[in-house]
Amino acid sequence: MAEKIMQDEYRIIDDPALIEVLASPVRQEIVDTLAALGGQVSAAELALQLGRHVDGLYYHLKVLCRAGLVTESAEGEDEARRYALPGHATRALRLAYRPASEPGKQALRKFTRGLLKVAQQDFDDALDLPDVVTEGSARQLWAARNKAWLSPEEVVEANALLQRLCALMSQPRAPERTQILSCTFVLAPHVALPKRRGSDGGAGPED
């Protein structure tokens, strides 16, 4: 499956089997953290960044390595195994959506459920930080949902802003970058649905 990974500005994943590998919230965290760290890191270093026990990461690392989404190496027999993203280690993974394919659609649904689960955990953990910044230009914690009518030109503008955000949030670690943050968003079109009716013909409660 490794040949499905194309080396470009991002690594593009379009194989439903690979997307399902990434549906695991833990594996999403591993891949995102490897991209953020850049280069090769040991399982112990990875566990430290994720706040997880190292023993619990080995299974997921093996799955990712078998799928070709992560590489494993060691310089000598006594050296700790080190892990990295294949190719240019700082290029983040991106999914290619194939909604016309039923396997592709199901894989994307599983992936998104895992993504939102990770986002919820990130938010919950950050709420417990004593010095988290919640307002102002240096804000670190923020959850919001907006729904609006957009013109075709505004849709293009929204996509350009999100692309810029993705590029900003895909940068590798550097001396001047002293914080690691996560960012999750969902952009989705809406179709107006008929108002739900109760069994007596009156308007029923809206979900």
Side-chain angles (χ1 to χ4, degrees):
M1 289 190 290
E3 69 273 13
K4 295 293 184 180
I5 304 175
M6 301 187 300
Q7 300 305 316
D8 201 340
E9 182 179 359
Y10 300 113
R11 275 175 287 264
I12 306 299
I13 307 298
D14 63 359
D15 186 335
L18 287 179
I19 295 174
E20 290 214 18
V21 168
L22 291 170
S24 160
V26 178
R27 293 196 279 276
Q28 288 186 30
E29 286 188 284
I30 289 173
V31 168
D32 289 345
T33 303
L34 287 175
L37 293 175
Q40 295 186 338
V41 299
S42 68
E45 292 169 322
L46 192 58
L48 181 63
Q49 289 291 329
L50 294 175
R52 294 178 176 273
H53 293 293
V54 65
D55 291 344
L57 295 182
Y58 283 118
Y59 167 76
H60 295 286
L61 285 167
K62 287 180 180 178
V63 172
L64 289 166
C65 288
R66 283 200 301 267
L69 294 167
V70 169
T71 62
E72 179 184 23
S73 63
E75 295 181 358
E77 292 184 4
D78 298 329
E79 294 293 327
R81 307 297 291 180
R82 301 187 70 79
Y83 301 89
L85 298 181
H88 195 301
T90 60
R91 289 180 180 170
L93 298 177
R94 293 289 182 263
L95 305 188
Y97 288 18
R98 302 286 185 262
S101 158
E102 191 59 34
K105 192 184 300 184
Q106 293 302 320
L108 286 169
R109 286 188 173 122
K110 291 179 181 178
F111 173 84
T112 306
R113 282 195 290 271
L115 178 147
L116 295 175
K117 184 176 180 180
V118 173
Q120 182 66 64
Q121 188 61 59
D122 287 345
F123 190 87
D124 291 348
D125 291 344
L127 279 175
D128 293 328
L129 296 176
D131 56 352
V132 64
V133 181
T134 58
E135 55 187 22
S137 60
R139 187 174 185 171
Q140 300 167 316
L141 186 63
W142 194 349
R145 181 178 184 269
N146 298 284
K147 186 175 181 180
W149 293 91
L150 299 181
S151 69
E153 294 77 15
E154 288 168 334
V155 171
V156 171
E157 181 183 357
N159 274 277
L161 291 169
L162 292 174
Q163 288 283 6
R164 170 58 184 148
L165 180 60
C166 284
L168 191 66
M169 296 299 297
S170 297
Q171 298 179 112
R173 182 168 55 179
E176 68 276 13
R177 298 184 186 122
T178 58
Q179 299 181 65
I180 183 167
L181 293 91
S182 64
C183 180
T184 303
F185 65 82
V186 175
L187 178 69
H190 282 257
V191 177
L193 300 174
K195 183 179 289 186
R196 296 182 178 89
R197 296 283 179 177
S199 57
D200 59 355
E206 295 188 1
D207 296 332

